[in-house]
Amino acid sequence: MTDAPLPAEHPGFRADPVLDGELVRLRRVTEADLPALLPMHRDPEAARLTGSHDADPDESLLHDWYAGRRDQGGRLDLAVVERTTGNVIGEAVLNEYDHQNGSCNFRIALVPGSHGRGSGTEATRLLVGHGFEVLGLHRISLEVYAFNPRARRVYEKVGFVTEGVLREALLWQGRRTDAAVMSILAPEWARHRGHPEAAAPGTH
């Protein structure tokens, strides 16, 4: 563990990692994954939970977006692939890389019908672990809206800690909603590796 700044052009963000779990595999997302991911981008509930006001993005723009993911030096966009079927069921992303402070933002989204199987939890553990153990990050953070307790439980299960609340951060269909700011730090990950309950005193 070092307090020295990470490189501004971190080679790890241009690499092509393959991260294997029991349920899912994470690998670099490409434009070929767009047909599988398109239902996620056009799902009204997914738009609400992520606060995305554009619920029907242009397919050609999305194609260009995914085609350029490999060229981004400050983010890592990975497809979530279900191991039993080989189907792409979502994406997990580290972005907003801050090399001076060794931090990143995390986000994950799954296609409709893919929730409730443990895939999102495992994908989160895989990418967060990669961020700390391979990329050398110190802090990974995210925001989750108050009307998305399911996602918040997943993040807590992996070890994210609530830092505070952004009051009325989102205006959605005429109603304002708070967002919780959550983060996990490298020393915390080293202690429990994404299983805080198992590492807590009195649980052994």
Side-chain angles (χ1 to χ4, degrees):
M1 190 70 61
T2 176
D3 290 331
L6 295 172
E9 287 295 320
H10 197 308
F13 287 93
R14 296 187 182 276
D16 292 327
V18 176
L19 312 179
D20 280 327
E22 295 181 2
L23 302 174
V24 300
R25 166 175 289 172
L26 304 187
R27 48 96 173 143
R28 175 75 71 170
V29 72
T30 72
E31 62 270 29
D33 299 317
L34 179 55
L37 294 172
L38 199 56
M40 177 186 75
H41 287 285
R42 292 182 170 169
D43 179 39
E45 180 64 4
R48 184 180 76 91
L49 294 177
T50 58
S52 302
H53 292 285
D54 183 7
D56 190 17
D58 183 271
E59 188 169 344
S60 63
L61 295 178
L62 284 173
H63 183 276
D64 292 343
W65 167 264
Y66 284 111
R69 292 307 84 205
R70 187 184 298 273
D71 301 326
Q72 304 300 309
R75 58 183 293 143
L76 184 61
D77 296 76
L78 301 183
V80 181
V81 182
E82 192 173 47
R83 297 199 66 176
T84 56
T85 65
N87 294 333
V88 174
I89 61 169
E91 61 183 12
V93 179
L94 288 175
N95 60 6
E96 300 179 12
Y97 171 54
D98 179 346
H99 73 280
Q100 293 179 322
N101 294 307
S103 66
C104 260
N105 178 73
F106 171 82
R107 69 175 183 82
I108 185 170
L110 300 180
V111 301
S114 299
H115 298 90
R117 307 175 189 170
S119 301
T121 302
E122 185 175 80
T124 299
R125 283 196 181 104
L126 288 171
L127 187 49
V128 169
H130 182 78
F132 289 130
E133 297 171 15
V134 178
L135 301 180
L137 298 173
H138 177 74
R139 179 177 187 271
I140 298 175
S141 62
L142 58 87
E143 294 177 12
V144 58
Y145 294 113
F147 50 50
N148 195 359
R150 178 178 62 188
R152 184 166 179 164
R153 284 194 297 271
V154 167
Y155 302 141
E156 289 172 340
K157 191 182 299 184
V158 174
F160 281 86
V161 176
T162 301
E163 297 181 333
V165 175
L166 301 176
R167 297 183 301 162
E168 300 186 355
L170 175 71
L171 176 61
W172 190 263
Q173 296 182 349
R175 300 185 65 179
R176 297 191 180 275
T177 301
D178 296 344
V181 179
M182 307 181 75
S183 73
I184 182 171
L185 305 179
E188 296 166 344
W189 177 266
R191 186 168 63 249
H192 58 62
R193 296 179 60 83
H195 296 272
E197 293 182 359
T203 58
H204 300 287

